[in-house]
Amino acid sequence: MTPTATVPALRVSKIAKTFGGARALKGVDFDVAPGEVHGLLGQNGCGKSTFVKVLAGFHAPDPGGTIAVFGRELPFPMPPGTFRDFGMAFVHQHLGLVPSLSMLENLRVASVTAPGLRIDWRAERRAARATFERFGVSLDLNARTGSLSQTDHALLAIMRAAEDLRTADDQAGRGLLILDEPTPFLPKEGVERLFALVRQVVGQGNSVIFISHDIDEVREITDRATILRDGLVSGTLVTRDASHGDFVEGIIGRRVARSVTAPTPQGRRRIKAMVSDIDEPGLSVPVIKVAEGEILGMTGLLGSGYERVPYLIFGAKRASRGTLEIDGKRLALNAMTPKVAIARKMALLPSDRPGASGVTGLTVRDNMLLLDFDSFMGRTGLNLRAMAQRAEALSTEYEVRPNNPAMRLGQLSGGNAQKVLLAKWMIRDPGLLMLDEPTQGVDVGTRQQIFGVIRDAAARGAGVICASSDAEQLADLCTRVLIFSRGRIVAELSGSDISKDNIAEACYGHSTLVA
């Protein structure tokens, strides 16, 4: 169903935003209908993040544009927090929860931090239980938020935003919830639970803007979707009438043929690395081999253990036992450290970009060259000019936008930050490249660029291990896929058996096996 009404939940007209000499938004126009889930998508750097910050009042748009929420025009510049007065609530990718607080405290934060001498915790608990009951969610109010799953975090953040709409409501039960990339860190079953909650929010009379890079998710949850490209609206699609290819063409301006990695005949391969006898709580792996030129995928359902393997091999997490044989050299995993791994020409790109992969407060230059400072050391210290030139050349090669080595990594979009961090490892020409969710939260164009870099590494003889929950990514990228269930390898797909459907079927088909 595509809802219709005379007064849109959101009407955006001629919204532009200029930073210095660069125009991030060039005149954006679109509407969101009441009772609609409306997608907003586009490549990294297309203007989505800037638009959301304009909507929240973080940025004031250039003169001449207007935004109206349920017929009420937003004032610009908009004082902080004013969006609440217009019936808007936001859930950002990192959710805005405090891990050290309880679920109750995070859910009722607006109430318990309001001016006053005393908090009526009994009343707050009753209100929180009523919220959970209204959405059919069962969570422990006393549990420390940081101890719970990413899925529960996302559900809590959305319920809190929905409650904010109810509390600030002066529009006959109508509100606008903006979900900014809420799903990249969720497993498939977590996404399904989140979508069920979104449908409940809409069923209560609200409208939702769902911002995502995942075309399949957008097609599943939205009624319509607006696509931004280079700061402009490239089109608005009625989701049920649009194909996957229609979305891709709107995002990057052309059709993209599916690119699948060609398998290398097994007989020609030399084993690059072999891992043996991993035996950890919840994880038991007798042997994993990866050959030169091979892209080996690892996957399974949430908690199946596959995502732990690259970190144990690299020494980012300490193994209690096991061995790694790489290029004929045998190493004990319980003595492995990242420093040793790097010396053995191993590379690990973690999924947690801000927490484990990069340093958001450092510049693009420093993140790219962090492992190579010694080569830029002169008599008087680091040669910063040479470093900047090298970083600028790498940014050109890896199509980092904007190409500004002095920018902090945290100022880049997720896809461009991932290009920076991938470049950091690729300039070292790794012999064993390990990646955890390498295209998580990136657009379809950047995804193909990252695939190209990975395939080039394999073509040069590297062994590649890709741990991912994205079945389509594994089907396109990998020459062999291992399926994990309850800490064990339960299936292996290769050749023509590798497909998105077969991978999903193997994951769910083995999910009930007893370890």
Side-chain angles (χ1 to χ4, degrees), residues 177-198:
L177 175 61
I178 298 92
L179 302 179
D180 189 2
E181 297 278 6
T183 61
F185 305 110
L186 301 185
K188 180 177 176 60
E189 54 266 45
V191 173
E192 291 169 352
R193 289 179 64 194
L194 184 145
F195 282 1
L197 186 59
V198 168

Side-chain angles (χ1 to χ4, degrees), residues 20-253:
R23 297 191 78 199
L25 298 173
K26 303 174 183 177
V28 171
D29 302 84
F30 71 97
D31 291 347
V32 176
E36 176 181 41
V37 181
H38 194 102
L40 185 64
L41 65 170
Q43 293 193 68
N44 295 113
C46 71
K48 297 189 307 295
S49 296
T50 300
F51 174 74
V52 170
K53 290 176 180 178
V54 168
L55 199 58
F58 187 81
H59 293 319
D62 297 346
T66 61
I67 297 177
V69 180
F70 294 102
R72 301 170 64 208
E73 205 169 293
L74 299 183
F76 293 117
M78 192 162 65
T82 303
F83 63 83
R84 295 185 181 90
D85 299 335
F86 287 79
M88 290 190 288
F90 292 79
V91 175
H92 298 286
Q93 185 178 84
H94 297 292
L95 304 179
L97 302 175
V98 181
S100 60
L101 296 183
S102 69
M103 297 286 273
L104 172 63
E105 290 164 329
N106 270 294
L107 181 65
R108 302 292 298 167
V109 65
S111 176
V112 301
T113 57
L117 299 177
R118 180 176 173 273
I119 299 171
D120 186 345
W121 285 109
R122 184 173 296 178
E124 296 299 338
R125 190 172 295 277
R126 281 198 304 270
R129 287 198 186 107
T131 299
F132 283 5
E133 289 172 6
R134 188 161 41 251
F135 288 104
V137 173
S138 178
L139 295 173
D140 182 0
L141 287 171
N142 297 317
R144 192 177 296 273
T145 303
S147 69
L148 301 177
S149 70
Q150 283 292 106
T151 299
D152 288 340
H153 290 173
L155 296 176
L156 179 64
I158 292 174
M159 286 189 293
R160 184 176 68 181
E163 286 302 288
D164 287 347
L165 293 180
R166 292 179 74 248
T167 302
D169 174 38
D170 60 358
Q171 303 173 84
R174 298 176 301 180
L176 179 64
L177 175 61
I178 298 92
L179 302 179
D180 189 2
E181 297 278 6
T183 61
F185 305 110
L186 301 185
K188 180 177 176 60
E189 54 266 45
V191 173
E192 291 169 352
R193 289 179 64 194
L194 184 145
F195 282 1
L197 186 59
V198 168
R199 293 183 182 104
Q200 286 181 273
V201 171
V202 172
Q204 294 173 4
N206 301 294
S207 301
V208 173
I209 296 177
F210 179 74
I211 302 168
S212 179
H213 288 300
D214 193 308
I215 294 172
D216 289 338
E217 289 181 0
V218 170
R219 293 178 70 200
E220 179 180 346
I221 192 61
T222 66
D223 300 296
R224 292 186 300 148
T226 292
I227 300 170
L228 297 184
R229 187 168 72 238
D230 296 328
L232 290 165
V233 172
S234 70
T236 295
L237 302 175
V238 177
T239 306
R240 67 187 177 194
D241 298 334
S243 68
H244 189 281
D246 293 332
F247 276 93
V248 172
E249 187 171 5
I251 291 168
I252 66 175

Side-chain angles (χ1 to χ4, degrees), residues 272 314 326-327 339-347 425 428-433 462-463:
K272 182 69 179 180
F314 193 75
I326 182 166
D327 289 329
K339 184 176 181 180
V340 172
I342 291 169
R344 293 290 170 189
K345 300 201 72 175
M346 297 162 60
W425 289 113
R428 303 182 66 80
D429 193 24
L432 179 61
L433 173 62

